[in-house]
Amino acid sequence: MRRGRRIAVDVGDARIGVASCDPDGLIATPVETVPGRDVQAARRRIAAIVEEYEPLEVVIGLPRSLSGGEGPAAAKARDFATEFAKIITPVPVRLVDERMSTVTATHGLRASGVKAKKGRSVVDQAAAVVILQSALETERVSGRPPGETVEVVI
């Protein structure tokens, strides 16, 4: 397992969840929910978070369908990741499978007593935590970085 903090991003239309982990990659924690309607402003805010946290890498959730295919949401995440990788280079960006992360996060919030209305403001952060924990576990088990690298083309 590589040592270093990671940042995870859950890209949504209205909100973008951001999470981080400790330098040992043991536990992911929520960082912030960034408004997602203004994509350029969202990228700038997340780039500022990356600058502050100095991560080893950024993992961005790739929302595949249950069958493994990619639809419009996956295309949006890929576009976001490609443009974001240019902004934060040389920090690597990886796309990781995030099937069911929002559902898992929502169930977890409900189980802990968070009401639906309050949950909307934090579910994206919780989904980013789920994405990051999954990526960390994948690396811990396989010994390889999770997902696929986003190539920076300038």
Side-chain angles (χ1 to χ4, degrees):
M1 179 86 176
R2 299 168 298 150
R3 182 162 163 66
R5 184 182 307 272
R6 282 100 164 150
I7 297 286
V9 179
D10 177 47
V11 179
D13 288 326
R15 294 171 303 277
I16 299 171
V18 181
S20 173
C21 70
D22 61 287
D24 292 321
L26 297 176
I27 188 154
T29 55
V31 172
E32 185 174 323
T33 299
V34 177
R37 299 252 184 247
D38 182 345
V39 177
Q40 298 298 343
R43 283 190 191 116
R44 285 191 302 272
R45 176 62 195 132
I46 299 166
I49 293 169
V50 168
E51 187 174 331
E52 177 185 346
Y53 282 74
E54 300 177 342
L56 172 70
E57 67 191 3
V58 174
V59 295
I60 296 178
L62 181 63
R64 296 181 189 271
S65 67
L66 291 179
S67 66
E70 293 186 15
K76 180 178 178 176
R78 282 189 181 280
D79 289 345
F80 184 94
T82 300
E83 293 305 313
F84 189 63
K86 292 176 188 174
I87 296 170
I88 65 165
T89 192
V91 177
V93 174
R94 303 187 68 78
L95 284 164
V96 297
D97 190 337
E98 67 142 309
R99 276 178 265 197
M100 304 297 287
S101 63
T102 302
V103 172
T104 302
T106 302
H107 286 290
L109 288 170
R110 296 292 177 279
S112 65
V114 176
K115 302 279 188 224
K117 190 171 186 175
K118 166 77 169 130
R120 279 195 295 269
S121 65
V122 295
V123 71
D124 302 286
Q125 289 177 44
V129 166
V130 170
I131 291 165
L132 186 50
Q133 280 296 159
S134 175
L136 292 169
E137 187 60 27
T138 296
E139 182 168 341
R140 202 172 289 113
V141 169
S142 72
R144 291 187 311 273
E148 61 185 81
T149 301
V150 175
E151 299 297 327
V152 178
V153 180
I154 298 175

